[in-house]
Coordinates of all heavy atoms in Angstrom, one line a residue:
M1 N -4.8 -1.9 -11.2 CA -3.6 -2.7 -11.2 C -3.7 -3.9 -10.3 O -4.4 -3.7 -9.2 CB -2.3 -1.8 -10.8 CG -2.0 -0.8 -12.0 SD -0.5 0.0 -11.5 CE 0.8 -1.3 -11.5
E2 N -2.9 -4.8 -10.5 CA -2.8 -6.0 -9.5 C -1.7 -5.6 -8.5 O -0.5 -6.2 -8.7 CB -2.6 -7.3 -10.3 CG -3.7 -7.7 -11.1 CD -3.4 -9.1 -11.8 OE1 -2.3 -9.3 -12.3 OE2 -4.4 -9.9 -11.6
N3 N -1.9 -4.8 -7.6 CA -0.9 -4.4 -6.7 C -0.5 -5.4 -5.5 O 0.2 -5.0 -4.7 CB -1.1 -3.1 -6.2 CG -0.7 -1.9 -7.2 OD1 0.1 -2.1 -8.0 ND2 -1.5 -0.9 -7.2
F4 N -1.0 -6.6 -5.7 CA -0.5 -7.7 -4.8 C 0.7 -8.4 -5.6 O 1.2 -9.5 -5.2 CB -1.6 -8.7 -4.5 CG -2.4 -9.2 -5.7 CD1 -1.9 -10.4 -6.3 CD2 -3.4 -8.7 -6.2 CE1 -2.5 -11.0 -7.3 CE2 -4.1 -9.1 -7.3 CZ -3.6 -10.3 -7.9
K5 N 1.0 -8.0 -6.8 CA 2.0 -8.5 -7.5 C 3.2 -7.4 -7.8 O 3.0 -6.2 -7.8 CB 1.6 -8.9 -8.9 CG 0.7 -10.1 -9.0 CD 0.3 -10.6 -10.4 CE -0.5 -11.9 -10.4 NZ -0.8 -12.2 -11.7
I6 N 4.4 -7.9 -8.0 CA 5.5 -7.0 -8.3 C 6.3 -7.8 -9.4 O 6.6 -8.9 -9.2 CB 6.4 -6.7 -7.0 CG1 7.5 -5.8 -7.4 CG2 6.8 -7.9 -6.2 CD1 8.2 -5.1 -6.3
N7 N 6.5 -7.1 -10.5 CA 7.2 -7.6 -11.6 C 6.7 -9.0 -12.1 O 7.4 -9.9 -12.3 CB 8.8 -7.8 -11.3 CG 9.4 -6.5 -11.0 OD1 9.1 -5.3 -11.5 ND2 10.4 -6.5 -10.0
G8 N 5.3 -8.9 -12.0 CA 4.6 -10.2 -12.5 C 4.6 -11.5 -11.5 O 3.9 -12.4 -11.9
Q9 N 5.2 -11.1 -10.4 CA 5.1 -12.2 -9.4 C 4.3 -11.8 -8.1 O 4.2 -10.7 -7.9 CB 6.5 -12.5 -8.9 CG 7.5 -12.9 -10.1 CD 8.8 -13.6 -9.5 OE1 9.3 -13.0 -8.7 NE2 9.1 -14.8 -10.0
E10 N 3.8 -12.8 -7.4 CA 3.1 -12.5 -6.2 C 4.0 -11.7 -5.1 O 5.3 -12.1 -5.0 CB 2.6 -13.8 -5.5 CG 1.7 -14.6 -6.2 CD 0.3 -14.4 -5.6 OE1 0.1 -14.0 -4.5 OE2 -0.7 -14.3 -6.6
A11 N 3.6 -10.7 -4.6 CA 4.4 -9.9 -3.7 C 4.8 -10.7 -2.4 O 4.0 -11.5 -1.9 CB 3.7 -8.7 -3.2
T12 N 6.0 -10.6 -1.9 CA 6.3 -11.3 -0.7 C 7.0 -10.2 0.1 O 7.6 -9.3 -0.5 CB 7.3 -12.4 -0.8 OG1 8.6 -12.0 -1.5 CG2 6.7 -13.6 -1.7
V13 N 7.3 -10.4 1.4 CA 8.1 -9.5 2.2 C 9.5 -9.3 1.5 O 9.9 -8.2 1.5 CB 8.2 -10.1 3.6 CG1 9.1 -9.1 4.5 CG2 6.9 -10.2 4.3
E14 N 10.0 -10.5 1.2 CA 11.4 -10.4 0.7 C 11.5 -9.5 -0.7 O 12.2 -8.6 -0.8 CB 11.9 -11.8 0.3 CG 12.2 -12.6 1.5 CD 10.8 -13.1 2.3 OE1 9.8 -13.3 1.6 OE2 10.9 -13.4 3.5
N15 N 10.6 -9.9 -1.5 CA 10.7 -9.1 -2.9 C 10.3 -7.6 -2.7 O 10.9 -6.8 -3.5 CB 10.2 -9.8 -4.1 CG 8.7 -10.1 -4.0 OD1 8.0 -9.3 -3.4 ND2 8.2 -11.0 -4.8
L16 N 9.4 -7.4 -2.0 CA 9.1 -6.0 -1.7 C 10.2 -5.1 -0.9 O 10.5 -4.0 -1.4 CB 7.7 -5.9 -0.9 CG 6.5 -6.3 -1.6 CD1 5.2 -6.3 -0.7 CD2 6.1 -5.4 -2.8
T17 N 10.8 -5.8 0.1 CA 11.9 -5.1 0.8 C 13.0 -4.9 -0.2 O 13.6 -3.8 -0.2 CB 12.3 -6.0 2.0 OG1 11.2 -6.3 2.8 CG2 13.3 -5.3 2.9
E18 N 13.2 -5.9 -1.1 CA 14.5 -5.8 -1.9 C 14.1 -4.6 -2.9 O 15.2 -4.0 -3.3 CB 14.5 -7.1 -2.7 CG 15.9 -7.3 -3.3 CD 16.0 -8.7 -3.9 OE1 15.7 -9.8 -3.1 OE2 16.1 -8.9 -5.1
A19 N 12.9 -4.5 -3.3 CA 12.5 -3.4 -4.3 C 12.5 -1.9 -3.6 O 12.2 -1.1 -4.3 CB 11.3 -3.8 -5.0
G20 N 12.6 -1.9 -2.3 CA 12.7 -0.6 -1.6 C 11.3 -0.2 -1.0 O 11.2 1.0 -0.7
Y21 N 10.4 -1.1 -0.9 CA 9.2 -0.8 -0.3 C 9.4 -0.7 1.4 O 10.0 -1.6 1.9 CB 8.1 -1.9 -0.7 CG 7.6 -1.6 -2.0 CD1 8.3 -2.0 -3.1 CD2 6.4 -1.0 -2.2 CE1 7.9 -1.8 -4.3 CE2 6.0 -0.7 -3.5 CZ 6.7 -1.2 -4.7 OH 6.2 -1.0 -5.9
R22 N 8.6 0.2 1.9 CA 8.6 0.3 3.4 C 7.4 -0.3 3.9 O 6.3 -0.1 3.2 CB 8.7 1.6 3.8 CG 8.9 1.8 5.3 CD 9.1 3.3 5.7 NE 8.7 3.3 7.2 CZ 8.4 4.4 7.8 NH1 8.6 5.6 7.2 NH2 8.1 4.3 9.1
R23 N 7.4 -1.1 4.9 CA 6.2 -1.8 5.5 C 5.5 -1.0 6.6 O 6.2 -0.4 7.5 CB 6.7 -3.1 6.1 CG 5.7 -4.0 6.7 CD 6.4 -5.2 7.2 NE 5.7 -6.3 7.5 CZ 6.1 -7.5 7.9 NH1 7.5 -7.8 7.8 NH2 5.2 -8.4 8.3
Y24 N 4.2 -0.8 6.4 CA 3.3 -0.2 7.4 C 2.5 -1.3 8.0 O 1.6 -1.7 7.4 CB 2.5 1.0 6.8 CG 3.4 2.1 6.2 CD1 4.1 2.0 5.1 CD2 3.5 3.2 7.0 CE1 5.0 3.0 4.7 CE2 4.4 4.3 6.7 CZ 5.1 4.1 5.6 OH 6.0 5.2 5.1
R25 N 2.7 -1.5 9.3 CA 2.1 -2.7 9.9 C 0.7 -2.4 10.4 O 0.4 -1.4 10.9 CB 2.9 -3.3 11.1 CG 4.3 -3.8 10.6 CD 5.2 -4.0 11.7 NE 6.4 -4.3 11.4 CZ 6.9 -5.6 11.1 NH1 6.2 -6.7 11.4 NH2 8.1 -5.9 10.7
G26 N -0.1 -3.4 10.2 CA -1.5 -3.4 10.8 C -1.9 -4.7 11.4 O -1.2 -5.8 11.2
E27 N -3.0 -4.9 12.1 CA -3.3 -6.1 12.7 C -3.7 -7.1 11.7 O -3.4 -8.2 11.7 CB -4.6 -5.8 13.6 CG -4.3 -5.2 14.9 CD -3.7 -6.1 15.9 OE1 -4.0 -7.3 16.0 OE2 -2.7 -5.7 16.6
E28 N -4.7 -6.6 10.7 CA -5.2 -7.5 9.7 C -4.3 -7.6 8.4 O -4.2 -8.7 7.7 CB -6.7 -6.9 9.3 CG -7.7 -7.6 10.0 CD -9.0 -7.4 9.2 OE1 -9.4 -6.3 8.9 OE2 -9.6 -8.5 8.8
M29 N -3.6 -6.5 8.1 CA -2.8 -6.5 7.0 C -1.7 -5.5 7.1 O -1.9 -4.5 7.8 CB -3.6 -6.3 5.6 CG -4.1 -4.8 5.6 SD -5.1 -4.4 4.2 CE -3.9 -4.6 2.8
D30 N -0.6 -5.7 6.4 CA 0.4 -4.6 6.2 C 0.3 -4.0 5.0 O -0.2 -4.6 3.9 CB 1.8 -5.3 6.3 CG 2.1 -5.9 7.7 OD1 1.4 -5.5 8.6 OD2 2.9 -6.8 7.7
I31 N 0.6 -2.7 4.7 CA 0.6 -2.0 3.5 C 2.1 -1.6 3.3 O 2.8 -1.2 4.2 CB -0.3 -0.7 3.4 CG1 -1.7 -1.2 3.7 CG2 -0.1 0.2 2.3 CD1 -2.7 0.0 3.9
Y32 N 2.4 -1.8 1.9 CA 3.9 -1.4 1.6 C 3.8 -0.3 0.6 O 2.9 -0.1 -0.2 CB 4.4 -2.7 0.8 CG 4.6 -3.8 1.8 CD1 3.7 -4.7 2.1 CD2 6.0 -4.1 2.3 CE1 3.8 -5.8 2.9 CE2 6.1 -5.2 3.2 CZ 5.0 -6.0 3.5 OH 5.2 -7.0 4.3
Y33 N 4.8 0.6 0.9 CA 4.8 1.8 0.0 C 6.3 2.2 -0.4 O 7.2 2.1 0.3 CB 4.3 3.0 0.9 CG 4.4 4.3 0.3 CD1 3.7 4.7 -0.8 CD2 5.4 5.3 0.8 CE1 3.8 5.9 -1.4 CE2 5.5 6.6 0.3 CZ 4.7 6.9 -0.8 OH 4.8 8.1 -1.3
N34 N 6.5 2.6 -1.7 CA 7.8 3.1 -2.1 C 7.6 4.5 -2.6 O 7.1 4.7 -3.6 CB 8.1 2.1 -3.4 CG 9.5 2.3 -3.8 OD1 10.1 3.4 -3.6 ND2 10.2 1.3 -4.4
A35 N 8.2 5.4 -1.9 CA 8.1 6.8 -2.1 C 8.8 7.2 -3.4 O 8.5 8.1 -4.1 CB 8.8 7.6 -0.9
N36 N 9.8 6.5 -3.9 CA 10.5 6.6 -5.1 C 9.7 6.5 -6.3 O 10.0 7.2 -7.4 CB 11.7 5.8 -5.2 CG 12.7 6.1 -4.0 OD1 12.8 7.2 -3.6 ND2 13.5 5.0 -3.7
I37 N 8.6 5.8 -6.3 CA 7.9 5.6 -7.6 C 6.5 6.2 -7.4 O 5.7 6.1 -8.3 CB 7.8 4.2 -7.9 CG1 7.3 3.2 -6.9 CG2 9.1 3.5 -8.4 CD1 7.0 1.8 -7.4
C38 N 6.0 6.8 -6.3 CA 4.8 7.4 -6.1 C 4.7 8.6 -7.0 O 5.6 9.4 -7.1 CB 4.6 7.9 -4.6 SG 3.1 8.8 -4.3
E39 N 3.6 8.6 -7.7 CA 3.3 9.8 -8.7 C 2.5 10.9 -8.0 O 2.1 12.0 -8.6 CB 2.6 9.3 -10.0 CG 3.5 8.4 -10.7 CD 2.7 7.6 -11.8 OE1 1.5 7.6 -11.7 OE2 3.4 6.9 -12.6
H40 N 2.1 10.8 -6.8 CA 1.4 11.8 -6.0 C 0.1 12.2 -6.6 O -0.3 13.3 -6.5 CB 2.3 13.0 -5.7 CG 3.6 12.6 -5.0 ND1 3.6 12.2 -3.7 CD2 4.9 12.5 -5.5 CE1 4.8 11.9 -3.4 NE2 5.7 12.1 -4.4
V41 N -0.5 11.2 -7.2 CA -1.9 11.6 -7.8 C -3.0 11.5 -6.8 O -4.1 12.0 -7.1 CB -2.2 10.7 -9.1 CG1 -1.4 11.1 -10.2 CG2 -2.0 9.2 -8.8
G42 N -2.8 10.8 -5.8 CA -3.7 11.0 -4.5 C -4.8 9.9 -4.6 O -5.9 10.3 -3.8
E43 N -4.8 9.0 -5.4 CA -6.0 7.9 -5.3 C -6.1 7.4 -3.9 O -7.2 7.1 -3.4 CB -5.7 6.8 -6.3 CG -5.8 7.1 -7.8 CD -7.3 7.3 -8.1 OE1 -8.2 7.0 -7.4 OE2 -7.4 8.1 -9.1
C44 N -5.1 7.2 -3.3 CA -5.0 6.6 -2.0 C -5.7 7.5 -0.9 O -6.5 7.0 -0.2 CB -3.6 6.2 -1.5 SG -2.4 7.6 -1.7
V45 N -5.2 8.7 -0.9 CA -5.7 9.7 0.0 C -7.3 9.9 -0.2 O -8.0 10.1 0.6 CB -5.0 11.0 -0.1 CG1 -5.5 12.1 0.8 CG2 -3.5 10.8 0.3
R46 N -7.7 10.1 -1.5 CA -9.1 10.2 -1.9 C -9.8 9.0 -1.5 O -11.0 9.0 -1.1 CB -9.2 10.5 -3.3 CG -9.3 12.0 -3.6 CD -9.8 12.2 -5.0 NE -8.9 11.5 -6.0 CZ -7.8 11.9 -6.5 NH1 -7.3 13.1 -6.0 NH2 -7.2 11.3 -7.5
G47 N -9.2 7.9 -1.6 CA -9.9 6.6 -1.3 C -10.3 6.4 0.2 O -11.3 6.0 0.4
N48 N -9.4 6.7 1.1 CA -9.6 6.7 2.5 C -8.6 7.5 3.3 O -7.5 7.1 3.6 CB -9.6 5.2 3.0 CG -10.1 5.1 4.4 OD1 -10.3 6.2 5.1 ND2 -10.5 3.9 4.9
P49 N -9.0 8.8 3.5 CA -8.1 9.7 4.2 C -7.8 9.2 5.6 O -6.8 9.8 6.1 CB -8.7 11.0 4.2 CG -10.2 10.7 3.9 CD -10.2 9.4 3.2
A50 N -8.5 8.3 6.2 CA -8.2 7.8 7.5 C -7.0 6.9 7.5 O -6.3 6.8 8.5 CB -9.4 7.2 8.2
V51 N -6.8 6.3 6.5 CA -5.7 5.3 6.3 C -4.5 6.0 5.8 O -3.3 5.8 6.2 CB -6.0 4.2 5.3 CG1 -4.9 3.1 5.0 CG2 -7.2 3.3 5.9
W52 N -4.6 6.8 4.6 CA -3.6 7.6 4.0 C -3.7 9.1 4.4 O -4.7 9.7 3.9 CB -3.5 7.3 2.6 CG -3.1 6.0 2.1 CD1 -1.9 5.6 1.9 CD2 -4.1 4.8 1.9 NE1 -1.9 4.2 1.5 CE2 -3.2 3.8 1.4 CE3 -5.4 4.7 1.9 CZ2 -3.8 2.4 1.2 CZ3 -6.0 3.4 1.7 CH2 -5.1 2.4 1.2
E53 N -3.0 9.5 5.2 CA -2.9 11.0 5.6 C -1.5 11.6 5.5 O -0.7 11.4 6.2 CB -3.6 11.1 6.9 CG -3.8 12.7 7.2 CD -4.4 12.9 8.7 OE1 -5.0 12.0 9.2 OE2 -4.0 13.9 9.2
V54 N -1.4 12.4 4.4 CA -0.1 13.1 4.2 C 0.2 14.1 5.4 O -0.6 14.7 5.8 CB -0.2 13.9 2.9 CG1 1.2 14.6 2.7 CG2 -0.5 13.0 1.7
G55 N 1.4 14.0 5.8 CA 1.8 14.8 7.0 C 1.7 14.1 8.3 O 2.3 14.5 9.3
R56 N 0.9 13.0 8.4 CA 0.9 12.3 9.7 C 2.0 11.3 9.8 O 2.6 10.9 8.7 CB -0.5 11.5 9.8 CG -0.7 10.8 11.0 CD -1.9 9.9 11.0 NE -2.0 8.9 9.8 CZ -3.0 8.3 9.4 NH1 -4.2 8.7 9.9 NH2 -2.8 7.5 8.4
K57 N 2.4 11.0 11.0 CA 3.5 10.0 11.1 C 3.0 8.8 11.9 O 2.8 9.2 13.1 CB 4.7 10.6 11.7 CG 5.5 11.4 10.7 CD 6.9 11.8 11.2 CE 7.5 12.6 10.0 NZ 8.8 13.2 10.2
P58 N 2.9 7.6 11.4 CA 3.1 7.3 10.0 C 2.0 7.6 9.3 O 1.0 7.8 9.6 CB 3.3 5.7 10.1 CG 2.4 5.4 11.3 CD 2.5 6.5 12.3
W59 N 2.3 7.9 7.9 CA 1.3 8.4 7.0 C 0.3 7.4 6.6 O -0.8 7.7 6.1 CB 1.9 9.2 6.0 CG 2.3 8.5 4.6 CD1 3.4 7.8 4.5 CD2 1.5 8.5 3.4 NE1 3.4 7.2 3.3 CE2 2.3 7.7 2.5 CE3 0.3 9.0 3.0 CZ2 1.8 7.2 1.2 CZ3 -0.1 8.7 1.6 CH2 0.7 7.9 0.9
I60 N 0.7 6.2 6.7 CA -0.3 5.0 6.4 C -0.6 4.3 7.7 O 0.4 3.8 8.4 CB 0.3 4.1 5.4 CG1 0.7 4.8 4.1 CG2 -0.7 3.0 5.2 CD1 1.5 3.9 3.0
L61 N -1.9 4.2 8.0 CA -2.3 3.4 9.2 C -3.4 2.4 8.7 O -4.5 2.6 8.5 CB -3.0 4.2 10.3 CG -2.0 5.1 11.2 CD1 -2.8 6.0 12.0 CD2 -1.1 4.3 12.0
P62 N -2.8 1.1 8.4 CA -3.7 0.1 7.7 C -5.0 -0.3 8.6 O -6.1 -0.4 8.1 CB -2.9 -1.2 7.7 CG -1.5 -0.7 7.6 CD -1.5 0.5 8.5
D63 N -4.8 -0.1 9.9 CA -6.0 -0.4 10.8 C -7.1 0.6 10.8 O -8.2 0.3 11.3 CB -5.6 -0.7 12.2 CG -4.7 -2.0 12.3 OD1 -4.8 -2.8 11.4 OD2 -4.1 -2.2 13.3
N64 N -6.8 1.7 10.2 CA -8.0 2.7 10.1 C -9.0 2.3 8.9 O -9.9 3.1 8.7 CB -7.5 4.1 9.9 CG -6.9 4.6 11.2 OD1 -7.0 4.0 12.3 ND2 -6.3 5.8 11.2
G65 N -8.7 1.3 8.3 CA -9.6 0.9 7.1 C -10.0 -0.6 7.2 O -9.2 -1.3 8.0
E66 N -10.8 -1.0 6.4 CA -11.2 -2.6 6.3 C -10.2 -3.1 5.3 O -9.9 -2.5 4.3 CB -12.5 -2.7 5.8 CG -13.7 -2.1 6.7 CD -14.5 -2.9 7.4 OE1 -14.8 -3.9 6.7 OE2 -14.9 -2.5 8.5
K67 N -9.8 -4.4 5.6 CA -8.9 -5.0 4.7 C -9.2 -5.0 3.2 O -8.4 -4.6 2.4 CB -8.6 -6.5 5.3 CG -7.6 -7.2 4.5 CD -7.5 -8.7 5.1 CE -6.6 -9.6 4.2 NZ -6.5 -10.8 4.9
L68 N -10.4 -5.4 2.9 CA -10.8 -5.5 1.6 C -11.0 -4.2 0.9 O -10.5 -4.0 -0.3 CB -12.1 -6.3 1.4 CG -12.1 -7.8 1.7 CD1 -13.5 -8.4 1.6 CD2 -11.1 -8.5 0.7
D69 N -11.3 -3.3 1.7 CA -11.5 -1.9 1.2 C -10.0 -1.3 0.9 O -9.7 -0.6 -0.1 CB -12.1 -1.0 2.2 CG -12.8 0.3 1.5 OD1 -13.3 0.2 0.4 OD2 -12.5 1.3 2.1
N70 N -9.2 -1.6 1.9 CA -7.6 -1.1 1.6 C -7.1 -1.9 0.3 O -6.5 -1.0 -0.5 CB -6.8 -1.5 2.8 CG -7.1 -0.8 4.1 OD1 -7.7 0.3 4.1 ND2 -6.6 -1.3 5.2
Q71 N -7.5 -3.0 0.2 CA -6.9 -3.7 -1.0 C -7.5 -3.2 -2.3 O -6.8 -2.9 -3.3 CB -7.2 -5.3 -0.9 CG -6.4 -5.9 0.2 CD -6.7 -7.4 0.3 OE1 -7.7 -7.9 -0.4 NE2 -6.0 -8.1 1.1
R72 N -8.7 -2.8 -2.3 CA -9.4 -2.2 -3.5 C -8.7 -0.9 -3.8 O -8.4 -0.6 -5.0 CB -10.8 -2.1 -3.1 CG -11.7 -1.5 -4.3 CD -13.2 -1.6 -3.8 NE -13.4 -0.6 -2.5 CZ -13.5 0.7 -2.6 NH1 -13.4 1.4 -3.7 NH2 -13.6 1.3 -1.4
I73 N -8.4 -0.1 -2.8 CA -7.9 1.2 -2.9 C -6.4 1.0 -3.4 O -5.9 1.8 -4.4 CB -7.9 2.1 -1.7 CG1 -9.4 2.4 -1.4 CG2 -7.1 3.4 -1.8 CD1 -9.6 2.9 0.1
I74 N -5.7 0.2 -2.8 CA -4.4 -0.2 -3.3 C -4.2 -0.5 -4.7 O -3.4 -0.1 -5.4 CB -3.6 -1.2 -2.3 CG1 -3.4 -0.6 -1.0 CG2 -2.3 -1.6 -3.0 CD1 -3.0 -1.7 0.1
N75 N -5.2 -1.3 -5.1 CA -5.2 -1.7 -6.6 C -5.5 -0.5 -7.5 O -5.3 -0.6 -8.8 CB -6.3 -2.8 -6.8 CG -5.7 -4.2 -6.3 OD1 -4.5 -4.4 -6.4 ND2 -6.6 -5.0 -5.9
R76 N -6.0 0.6 -7.0 CA -6.1 1.8 -7.8 C -5.0 2.7 -8.0 O -4.9 3.6 -8.7 CB -7.2 2.6 -7.2 CG -8.6 2.2 -7.5 CD -9.6 3.5 -7.4 NE -10.7 3.1 -6.5 CZ -11.2 3.7 -5.5 NH1 -10.6 4.9 -5.1 NH2 -12.1 3.4 -4.7
C77 N -3.9 2.4 -7.1 CA -2.7 3.1 -7.2 C -2.0 2.9 -8.7 O -1.6 1.8 -8.9 CB -1.7 2.7 -6.1 SG -0.1 3.4 -6.3
P78 N -1.9 3.9 -9.5 CA -1.5 3.7 -10.8 C 0.0 3.5 -11.1 O 0.4 2.9 -12.1 CB -2.0 5.0 -11.5 CG -1.9 6.0 -10.4 CD -2.3 5.3 -9.2
S79 N 0.8 3.8 -10.0 CA 2.2 3.8 -10.3 C 2.8 2.4 -9.6 O 3.9 2.0 -10.0 CB 3.0 4.9 -9.5 OG 2.8 4.8 -8.0
G80 N 2.0 1.8 -8.8 CA 2.5 0.6 -8.2 C 3.3 0.9 -6.9 O 4.0 0.0 -6.3
A81 N 3.2 2.2 -6.5 CA 3.9 2.6 -5.3 C 3.3 1.9 -3.9 O 4.0 1.8 -3.0 CB 3.9 4.0 -5.1
L82 N 2.0 1.4 -4.1 CA 1.4 0.8 -2.9 C 1.3 -0.8 -3.3 O 0.9 -1.0 -4.5 CB 0.0 1.4 -2.7 CG 0.0 2.8 -2.2 CD1 -1.5 3.2 -2.1 CD2 0.5 2.9 -0.8
K83 N 1.6 -1.5 -2.4 CA 1.5 -2.9 -2.6 C 0.9 -3.6 -1.2 O 1.0 -3.0 -0.3 CB 2.8 -3.6 -2.7 CG 3.6 -3.0 -4.1 CD 3.0 -3.7 -5.3 CE 3.9 -3.3 -6.5 NZ 3.1 -3.5 -7.8
Y84 N 0.4 -4.9 -1.4 CA 0.0 -5.7 -0.3 C 0.3 -7.1 -0.7 O 0.5 -7.5 -1.8 CB -1.6 -5.4 0.1 CG -2.5 -5.8 -1.0 CD1 -3.1 -7.1 -1.0 CD2 -2.8 -4.9 -2.0 CE1 -4.0 -7.6 -1.9 CE2 -3.7 -5.3 -3.0 CZ -4.4 -6.6 -3.0 OH -5.3 -7.0 -3.9
I85 N 0.3 -7.9 0.4 CA 0.6 -9.4 0.1 C -0.7 -10.1 0.4 O -1.4 -9.9 1.5 CB 1.7 -9.8 1.2 CG1 3.0 -9.1 0.9 CG2 1.7 -11.3 1.1 CD1 4.0 -9.5 1.9
K86 N -1.2 -10.9 -0.7 CA -2.4 -11.5 -0.7 C -2.4 -12.7 0.4 O -1.3 -13.4 0.5 CB -2.6 -12.0 -2.0 CG -3.9 -11.6 -2.7 CD -4.1 -12.3 -4.0 CE -5.5 -12.1 -4.6 NZ -5.8 -12.7 -5.8
Ligands
SF4_101 S1 -2.3 6.2 -5.2 FE1 -0.2 5.5 -5.4 S2 0.8 6.9 -6.8 FE2 -1.0 8.0 -6.0 S3 -0.4 9.1 -4.2 FE3 -1.1 7.1 -3.5 S4 0.8 5.9 -3.4 FE4 1.2 7.6 -4.7

């Protein structure tokens, strides 16, 4: 999926916040997540458990992965629960 987009538009802080996404900040990039639409299939956790770790607070730490690798994994999220801003 093109998870740098939301509803066919480039994702922005504003439209992601409005759609209920929570921001997980990193030095190189932020990762956005919406728990309400997550299907819990685990592509993210399997992709890089250092970035996505269920039970940790915060459960997403963008700086534990490389930006391009994080983006590649986010694009595998089938529900669109994960987003990033290009
Ligand atoms: S890949 Fe997306 S749908 Fe699957 S568990 Fe992660 S956030 Fe949820």
Side-chain angles (χ1 to χ4, degrees):
M1 286 185 65
E2 294 184 314
N3 279 329
F4 56 90
K5 288 187 177 173
I6 179 164
N7 300 326
Q9 297 196 314
E10 293 262 329
T12 64
V13 177
E14 292 73 26
N15 62 23
L16 289 174
T17 305
E18 200 171 305
Y21 283 77
R22 185 173 160 196
R23 183 177 186 171
Y24 293 80
R25 292 169 191 267
E27 285 285 321
E28 268 203 297
M29 70 179 294
D30 297 334
I31 294 176
Y32 292 80
Y33 173 68
N34 187 335
N36 292 328
I37 59 178
C38 175
E39 292 167 352
H40 304 289
V41 284
E43 286 293 338
C44 51
V45 177
R46 268 195 302 279
N48 189 345
V51 174
W52 289 272
E53 187 180 329
V54 178
R56 183 182 61 197
K57 286 194 176 171
W59 86 281
I60 301 175
L61 287 175
D63 290 342
N64 282 359
E66 307 245 326
K67 182 177 174 181
L68 289 178
D69 198 48
N70 288 348
Q71 292 181 348
R72 186 176 54 79
I73 294 165
I74 292 167
N75 283 331
R76 278 203 232 133
C77 172
S79 66
L82 292 173
K83 300 281 185 196
Y84 63 95
I85 294 173
K86 239 183 164 180

